[in-house]
Amino acid sequence: RTGGNDPLFASAGALCYSFSGAVLFTFMRHPNFISWAWCFPLMLAGFESYWRQGKKALLLLAICLNAVINYYTFYMNAVLLALCACLRALSETGGAWARFKKLLCTAGVCIMGVALSMAVLLPTLYAFSINTRIQIVSGYNESLWHFPLAYYLRIPASTFTTLFAPGVYAYTGDTGAAAIVIALMPVFLIKKGTPLYNKLVCLVFLIMLCVPLAGRVLNGFGYVTERWVYALVCMM
């Protein structure tokens, strides 16, 4: 997906994502949230299919499935997909109005997917709205704009391994990209440049990883957590 029609990019991306620390370690701790791992790439694939060829089926299916399976992961994935769609539109050439209309049409398809899931989604949202847990703010709450220095010092090392730090796991944001990334990096460097879209998404996601506010928003405005970091691994 990220490399267009290049099978090397697609195969390497699938391997790096499937065996990354963000997937293996995080979802081992929260097996009921495994839908994060496969729903987001499926939603991205559906978005690409609609954006390039106008095919709605995969995007509708991905949106509906994620909304039915887990509303929490659907919320995160929906926000992340919206960001990716906006960055995709910004990275393309052509008239601004045409790209905006394309975004609106994409949003319409997504709304149709949500509508298909309403029989399950609405009762779940009602149960969530009366849950007292949503009124509790826990975890890191010192600032919405920056983490402690130790967090930023961890990021380079955690790119290729998962570092577990008791007491601060909720916001560590370890990507843990598979070691295959190191081996494949020279290959990608000598190939044609990575699409601008991927560069923009990675840059924005990296900035989000450094700002606690993003972790709080993507956690439903509860406490700061970087569980969404699987999306960054998916786009690497």
Side-chain angles (χ1 to χ4, degrees):
R1 178 192 50 76
T2 56
N5 296 319
D6 193 324
L8 179 60
F9 273 95
S11 301
L15 284 172
C16 294
Y17 184 62
S18 300
F19 296 99
S20 67
V23 172
L24 295 181
F25 181 75
T26 304
F27 300 121
M28 179 179 68
R29 289 178 59 89
H30 301 285
N32 55 319
F33 290 155
I34 194 66
S35 57
W36 292 349
W38 64 270
C39 279
F40 184 64
L42 188 63
M43 290 169 70
L44 283 176
F47 165 70
E48 288 291 326
S49 177
Y50 179 72
W51 191 266
R52 294 181 183 182
Q53 303 172 335
K55 297 180 179 179
K56 304 176 183 177
L58 184 56
L59 183 57
L60 280 170
L61 175 65
I63 294 291
C64 181
L65 278 178
N66 199 176
V68 167
I69 292 172
N70 193 308
Y71 72 93
Y72 173 52
T73 65
F74 172 67
Y75 166 77
M76 279 197 297
N77 286 339
V79 173
L80 293 167
L81 181 65
L83 280 173
C84 289
C86 291
L87 292 172
R88 180 61 185 269
L90 287 173
S91 66
E92 290 195 347
T93 57
W97 176 241
R99 285 179 286 167
F100 180 68
K101 286 196 297 183
K102 213 170 182 180
L103 279 177
L104 287 180
C105 292
T106 303
V109 175
C110 292
I111 291 172
M112 289 171 60
V114 173
L116 292 173
S117 70
M118 282 298 183
V120 174
L121 184 61
L122 284 180
T124 307
L125 290 176
Y126 173 73
F128 174 74
S129 68
I130 61 176
N131 191 329
T132 56
R133 185 179 179 185
I134 65 174
Q135 302 173 4
I136 300 174
V137 177
S138 59
Y140 178 77
N141 55 17
E142 295 178 20
S143 172
L144 288 177
W145 305 108
H146 64 84
F147 287 110
L149 177 61
Y151 171 83
Y152 299 106
L153 295 177
R154 287 168 52 87
I155 291 179
S158 68
T159 300
F160 299 109
T161 185
T162 299
L163 306 174
F164 179 73
V168 297
Y169 173 73
Y171 62 86
T172 52
D174 294 336
T175 53
I180 191 174
V181 173
I182 303 174
L184 289 173
M185 204 169 290
V187 178
F188 294 144
L189 287 175
I190 63 176
K191 291 177 67 68
K192 291 184 178 179
T194 305
L196 177 60
Y197 164 59
N198 296 86
K199 295 178 181 178
L200 285 175
V201 172
C202 284
L203 177 61
V204 170
F205 283 6
L206 281 171
I207 293 173
M208 290 168 57
L209 187 62
C210 296
V211 181
L213 179 61
R216 176 159 290 178
V217 170
L218 286 168
N219 194 43
F221 297 91
Y223 55 89
V224 175
T225 178
E226 306 297 350
R227 292 193 184 104
W228 63 272
V229 76
Y230 62 92
L232 175 57
V233 182
C234 185
M235 300 303 296
M236 290 177 70

